[in-house]
Amino acid sequence: MSPAPQMSSYRGPSAGLFQNKYLTSPSGFHKFASVTTSRAQRIVDKILAASTTAEYTSIARDLDRLSDLLCRVIDACDFVRSTHPDSAMQTAADSAFAEMFEYMNVLNTTTGLNTQLRAALARPEIVGAWSAEELHVARLLELDFLKSAIHLPAEERRRFVALSSEVSELGTRFVGRMAPEKEALSFDAEQLRGMDSGVVRRLTNWKRVLLPVNSLDAIQALRTVDDESTRMKIFTAGRTASTGQVNLLELLLRRRAELAKLSGYQSYSEMTTYDKMAKNPESISQFLQALSTDNSPGVSAELSTLLSLQQGSSDIVEPWNRDYLASLLPHPTPTSRISPFFSLGTVIQGLSSLFNRIYGIRFIPQATLPGEVWEPSVRRLDVYDESEGHIAVLYLDLFTRPGKTPNPAHFTLRCSRLISASELAELNTTPVAPGFSSAEEQANDGMATAYNSHNSQLYQLPTIVITCDFTPTSPFVPQPTLLSLNDVRTLFHEMGHAMHSIVGRTSFQNVSGTRCATDLAELPSLLTEHLATAPAALALYASHWKTGQPLPADLLAQHVAAEQQFAALETQRQIKLAQVDQAYHSAAAGAPDYDSTAVFHEIMNRGPGMKEPPTTRWQGLFGHLVGYGALYYAYLFDKAIAGRVWREVFGGGRDALSREAGEKVKSELLAWGGGRDGWACVAGVLGDERLKGGGVEAMAEVGRWGVRSK
């Protein structure tokens, strides 16, 4: 795969972004939002007017359809405004996003929707008529209404809305202002002895070296500068936010605590986790403690390795010395040695072969129509199941470009959902809208649909985008785009998310694919990462782009060993940050005199691992507190489960290409999306009924598994 444009086989008018027939130009976003809002309002009116048994029986599906309509606009606009290279399209998408978000806020205050759902749930004959999936969705929708405080008295509900808005605004400000208190440090050149002399000269001005604190140059200095006091200054400055930033964080924590109390919870963590696999803060604490105990021997061994390199009598490895001491160890072979075995096109083909072997799913390249993609290098892959045919559309936007976020990501532009016969009949009562050839096409805005081979009903097909930040090969260099081992893992990780969206083709949008509990969402992606370096899987794609020679096992082993050299220390750091996150979202954080710096230092200096310098305020740079507040444990949790599944189901790589193993993951985990309790999914994959109910002991058991792959 190269960055050369994928030329369309067709010429003519724009088919619309993602083949959405409204999105042929910037003005189409307003039309898309307007049409969708009108369709949504008709559903709202139908739900509010429901009075018969038949009408109440359809409420769960009607609410799911309403949610789908809102998400169609919000998800597509959110992607376009952050990724599309055309500023006019970005602006139009942003405006449509705001328009739909405002309408959603109106619905969040429409108490009648909650009243009607609760009325349906209270009638045994209606609940009895629902499928298990339908009842699960109805319960999730009931929880969503509770989270939006729609049940509170009017005055308290207004306070809830105001607090929610303030929390969102504070979070945006916190992330936008994240930076060390000092932008740069000034040194004599002698203080930076050991650092690359060319870099030092570049940073020198008027005989002083001005080192930016938050930079690659600072990272290099920590690895190479001989003077320990200089390294200490650089390390400490890089971990110290301003007092203003810390005050902003503490205000955010107080507002979250107030929001939780208003909603009837003791803490924000309790409010956030009660509908997750963890269920409560106590379970999270038990998981993290058990994981720390399992990880402790590795921490001791790695600290001993660093101590053996340290000169002097100290028996403590200071954190500013870690990278410097690590640089004294034998270096792995450079990335340039392994990258020729990972050409991008071959890796994509290998992923298709791998998924075909274990899941019976393959990728078929598809030429795009005019206007379908937002950048010439974007590729479309149609996803086919060996027994069900066309099941999804996958777009790959893998190359860096100006203005594009460097963070790899998986976007679901359209979820799976059953398009009911009644929905099609409703569309057929009026002439098909201009631009559409049929009611079936209009039902999904022109985007991909297919009839399910098992029940002969029409479904929206999942439409997914994977974005990465790979550097393309110059058009003047006669070789394909080559990836590092880390790039390969990144691609496998995002493909794991994509497979969850693809295989989790449920009848209801609310539980489709990755719309599951936050502490289950990373499991498929982390499990897929394990496949990236399994010898059997490597045989499918890791070959030299020029000679065809397979990747030498010893070359791979050197790189993997280098990556894992201080894995236990990094795991311990993540455990402590998860504990900080929980402490910050406890009831105590609501106190007006709460000292986040004291709490941070107490936790980071507790137990095994490296200690935190006493003057730092790193919590002001902890951006995940905004998007993953009270949920930072989830990545470690899923990593532990993924390692267990890898060992128990895939034999630690021995059965990496096993269809039996793949089918177990597919049927017990991926196919459910969010339509099944996460513990039931994990218990099913592992064949361990003890886990099925979850709880404190189950969380501790996962912690005892550790995060090992072997």
Side-chain angles (χ1 to χ4, degrees):
M1 184 175 183
S2 70
Q6 179 186 22
M7 300 304 294
S8 170
S9 302
Y10 310 94
R11 293 291 181 269
S14 171
L17 275 174
F18 332 118
Q19 293 193 23
N20 183 318
K21 290 185 178 293
Y22 295 108
L23 305 183
T24 58
S25 66
S27 62
F29 283 92
H30 174 70
K31 176 71 171 176
F32 183 34
S34 178
V35 169
T36 302
T37 301
S38 296
R39 293 171 68 181
Q41 190 58 45
R42 287 195 293 272
I43 296 173
V44 171
D45 294 341
K46 177 187 175 187
I47 294 170
L48 295 178
S51 59
T52 68
T53 298
E55 288 168 341
Y56 274 115
T57 301
S58 70
I59 277 181
R61 189 170 293 280
D62 288 339
L63 283 170
D64 182 78
R65 183 181 167 198
L66 177 61
S67 175
D68 177 65
L69 287 170
L70 299 175
C71 290
R72 287 182 181 193
V73 178
I74 288 172
D75 291 344
C77 290
D78 193 37
F79 171 77
V80 170
R81 67 181 185 164
S82 64
T83 308
H84 202 291
D86 186 335
S87 60
M89 295 291 275
Q90 289 179 7
T91 301
D94 196 50
S95 176
F97 180 95
E99 183 179 341
M100 189 56 64
F101 206 80
E102 181 179 352
Y103 178 67
M104 187 171 67
N105 285 335
V106 172
L107 296 182
N108 285 338
T109 60
T110 306
T111 57
L113 294 173
N114 178 51
T115 301
Q116 290 289 67
L117 175 61
R118 290 172 66 86
L121 283 164
R123 294 175 60 172
E125 74 275 17
I126 291 173
V127 172
W130 285 340
S131 66
E133 185 179 52
E134 203 162 5
L135 177 59
H136 185 71
V137 168
R139 295 294 187 196
L140 290 175
L141 290 167
E142 183 183 32
L143 285 175
D144 284 343
F145 279 123
L146 284 172
K147 289 178 186 177
S148 67
I150 204 166
H151 61 292
L152 293 177
E155 184 57 38
E156 291 182 14
R157 191 163 66 249
R158 281 192 288 272
R159 178 59 181 156
F160 180 93
V161 171
L163 273 173
S164 298
S165 177
E166 185 180 4
V167 164
S168 176
E169 189 270 334
L170 288 170
T172 300
R173 283 171 56 195
F174 179 80
V175 172
R177 288 171 42 172
M178 281 195 314
E181 184 173 40
K182 296 179 179 178
E183 292 185 11
L185 297 174
S186 177
F187 296 105
D188 292 326
E190 182 62 26
Q191 292 175 283
L192 294 171
R193 181 183 292 274
M195 192 173 179
D196 184 283
S197 59
V199 174
V200 173
R201 282 195 298 273
R202 172 167 55 81
L203 299 173
T204 299
N205 188 25
W206 294 98
K207 299 184 179 181
R208 297 289 292 176
V209 183
L210 201 63
L211 180 69
V213 170
N214 188 21
S215 67
L216 292 175
D217 293 328
I219 294 172
Q220 185 193 101
L222 288 172
R223 292 173 179 164
T224 59
V225 168
D226 294 327
D227 181 57
E228 182 178 352
S229 64
T230 298
R231 296 198 302 272
M232 180 185 68
K233 291 175 183 176
I234 296 169
F235 183 87
T236 302
R239 293 181 65 81
T240 305
S242 68
T243 54
Q245 178 76 345
V246 170
N247 291 338
L248 181 62
L249 171 63
E250 291 173 355
L251 178 59
L252 171 63
L253 299 180
R254 286 197 297 274
R255 292 294 180 263
R256 281 178 168 173
E258 185 180 349
L259 192 65
K261 187 175 181 179
L262 182 63
S263 302
Y265 297 94
Q266 292 186 11
S267 69
Y268 186 81
S269 180
E270 183 183 280
M271 183 179 79
T272 303
T273 60
Y274 79 96
D275 61 343
K276 308 299 187 292
M277 289 178 69
K279 302 299 183 189
N280 55 66
E282 173 59 24
S283 292
I284 298 168
S285 177
Q286 291 297 313
F287 161 70
L288 293 171
Q289 185 55 53
L291 184 61
S292 179
T293 300
D294 176 86
N295 191 56
S296 185
V299 171
S300 297
E302 291 173 9
L303 286 175
S304 294
T305 297
L306 291 171
L307 275 171
S308 70
L309 300 167
Q310 185 167 275
Q311 297 178 359
S313 58
S314 175
D315 59 354
I316 296 174
V317 178
E318 299 290 1
W320 52 80
N321 290 334
R322 172 186 155 164
D323 291 349
Y324 180 76
L325 294 173
S327 71
L328 303 178
L329 292 167
H331 293 292
T333 53
T335 297
S336 59
R337 285 278 311 282
I338 200 169
S339 287
F341 295 90
F342 298 133
S343 62
L344 179 55
T346 304
V347 173
I348 298 293
Q349 292 169 6
L351 276 161
S352 180
S353 298
L354 172 63
F355 292 148
N356 192 37
R357 293 281 286 272
I358 63 176
Y359 298 139
I361 290 171
R362 60 197 171 94
F363 303 147
I364 297 180
Q366 177 71 35
T368 56
L369 298 176
E372 181 179 353
V373 295
W374 50 100
E375 211 279 331
S377 66
V378 173
R379 297 290 188 266
R380 171 175 168 162
L381 301 175
D382 281 0
V383 186
Y384 280 80
D385 181 275
E386 62 186 17
S387 61
E388 297 181 34
H390 190 199
I391 59 171
V393 173
L394 175 62
Y395 294 101
L396 302 180
D397 183 359
L398 302 182
F399 297 114
T400 185
R401 61 175 176 270
K404 180 184 175 185
T405 175
N407 301 319
H410 155 274
F411 296 88
T412 303
L413 302 176
R414 190 63 55 97
C415 288
S416 170
R417 185 182 69 89
L418 168 68
I419 301 174
S420 67
S422 61
E423 187 178 339
L424 292 174
E426 176 188 318
L427 287 169
N428 277 318
T429 60
T430 58
V432 175
F436 296 98
S437 61
S438 65
E440 287 84 355
E441 188 177 66
Q442 186 177 346
N444 202 35
D445 307 319
M447 294 175 67
T449 60
Y451 282 91
N452 187 293
S453 61
H454 297 304
N455 59 22
S456 300
Q457 292 182 300
L458 186 66
Y459 278 73
Q460 298 174 181
L461 293 189
T463 301
I464 302 148
V465 180
I466 288 177
T467 65
C468 291
D469 194 46
F470 302 150
T471 301
T473 299
S474 166
F476 304 107
V477 176
Q479 70 177 39
T481 295
L482 303 178
L483 305 180
S484 67
L485 182 57
N486 186 60
D487 290 338
V488 172
R489 278 211 180 91
T490 296
L491 188 55
F492 270 67
H493 182 98
E494 300 306 332
M495 279 291 188
H497 284 307
M499 291 308 293
H500 201 183
S501 293
I502 290 165
V503 178
R505 296 187 316 286
T506 55
S507 298
F508 292 86
Q509 181 267 165
N510 267 280
V511 292
S512 172
T514 56
R515 293 183 187 271
C516 60
T518 307
D519 47 8
L520 183 69
E522 292 293 331
L523 177 54
S525 56
L526 290 167
L527 180 59
T528 306
E529 274 193 52
H530 283 288
L531 288 163
T533 52
L538 284 164
L540 299 176
Y541 71 89
S543 59
H544 197 284
W545 72 272
K546 197 170 187 178
T547 66
Q549 173 195 358
L551 173 64
D554 60 338
L555 183 59
L556 175 69
Q558 290 174 31
H559 279 264
V560 172
E563 289 178 342
Q564 297 297 314
Q565 203 161 44
F566 297 105
L569 281 169
E570 176 57 25
T571 295
Q572 198 64 30
R573 187 179 76 89
Q574 294 298 326
I575 291 170
K576 291 182 178 182
L577 290 178
Q579 291 171 331
V580 168
D581 174 46
Q582 286 300 304
Y584 281 0
H585 294 101
S586 66
D593 59 348
Y594 187 74
D595 188 343
S596 67
T597 302
V599 171
F600 175 74
H601 281 272
E602 190 278 323
I603 292 174
M604 297 303 288
N605 290 321
R606 181 198 303 165
M610 291 189 170
K611 309 309 177 186
E612 185 72 16
T615 60
T616 62
R617 295 185 292 268
W618 188 82
Q619 75 273 22
L621 307 174
F622 191 4
H624 283 88
L625 289 172
V626 174
Y628 291 89
L631 295 170
Y632 195 74
Y633 74 92
Y635 191 88
L636 285 170
F637 179 67
D638 282 347
K639 191 172 184 179
I641 298 173
R644 184 75 167 189
V645 173
W646 182 244
R647 296 189 298 272
E648 297 293 321
V649 179
F650 288 94
R654 182 182 64 253
D655 301 318
L657 302 184
S658 164
R659 173 59 70 90
E660 181 181 356
E663 285 297 332
K664 180 170 282 192
V665 170
K666 186 179 177 183
S667 63
E668 296 287 353
L669 172 64
L670 300 178
W672 291 91
R676 185 191 199 189
D677 177 71
W679 286 110
C681 291
V682 174
V685 171
L686 291 172
D688 189 345
E689 290 297 309
R690 297 174 305 158
L691 302 171
K692 204 165 189 178
V696 173
E697 179 51 36
M699 289 289 291
E701 176 64 16
V702 173
R704 288 190 286 269
W705 293 345
V707 293
R708 301 174 303 278
S709 60
K710 296 181 180 179

